[in-house]
Amino acid sequence: VRVWDTTGLRKKQTGGGTEPSIVENMGKPQSRGNVALNVQAELFGTNDVVVKYVLEGHDRGVNWAAFHPNLPLLASAADDRQVKLWRMSETKAWEVDTLRGHANNVSCCLFHPKHDLVVSNSEDRSIRVWDVSKRIGVQTFRREGDR
């Protein structure tokens, strides 16, 4: 998982400068590659966005990552059937714990906006609710007939 620092992004304006903006270039004939490069240059410049943390801990591909609404926490869901919790500071990030219980790839996860919970869903056809403070599963919902 890569966490990007986007504080260097410049506010883009439509017009007024010497270079035409993305909006001004829309509708003018350009190759698809040039459009993609122009959009990337317009949005990110050269060093406006940098990787702040690289979180390594999952054994297989990561499908989803979600930030906690108030705390410096991140949850990630992966094909190793796990949800991992990560804590971040200004200078580093580290793995806090692993939530195990899904029997197949975990597709996504999210923090509940008001309670200390994480909700995850998996290709095992289950939705699990996890208590973040106790780091245990508190409920599992299954619908065998659903995809």
Side-chain angles (χ1 to χ4, degrees), residues 5 12 19-20 33 36 48 57 89-90 96 98 100 107 127 134 137:
D5 181 355
K12 300 299 174 186
E19 292 291 319
D48 295 341
S89 72
E90 284 299 316
V96 175
T98 301
R100 294 178 178 87
S107 304
I127 296 172
K134 296 177 184 174

Side-chain angles (χ1 to χ4, degrees), residues 38-103:
N38 288 345
V39 169
Q40 182 174 351
E42 272 291 309
L43 293 176
F44 299 117
T46 54
N47 294 319
D48 295 341
V49 179
V50 294
V51 175
K52 188 167 184 175
Y53 313 116
V54 176
L55 308 176
E56 296 179 342
H58 283 288
D59 296 329
R60 301 194 61 197
V62 175
N63 297 315
W64 198 270
F67 288 96
H68 191 281
N70 304 316
L71 300 173
L73 291 175
L74 180 88
S76 58
D79 287 345
D80 58 6
R81 302 178 300 187
Q82 300 172 357
V83 174
K84 289 192 178 280
L85 299 175
W86 310 84
R87 182 168 295 281
M88 299 173 290
S89 72
E90 284 299 316
T91 57
K92 65 181 181 173
W94 61 96
E95 183 179 333
V96 175
D97 209 347
T98 301
L99 306 174
R100 294 178 178 87
H102 282 293

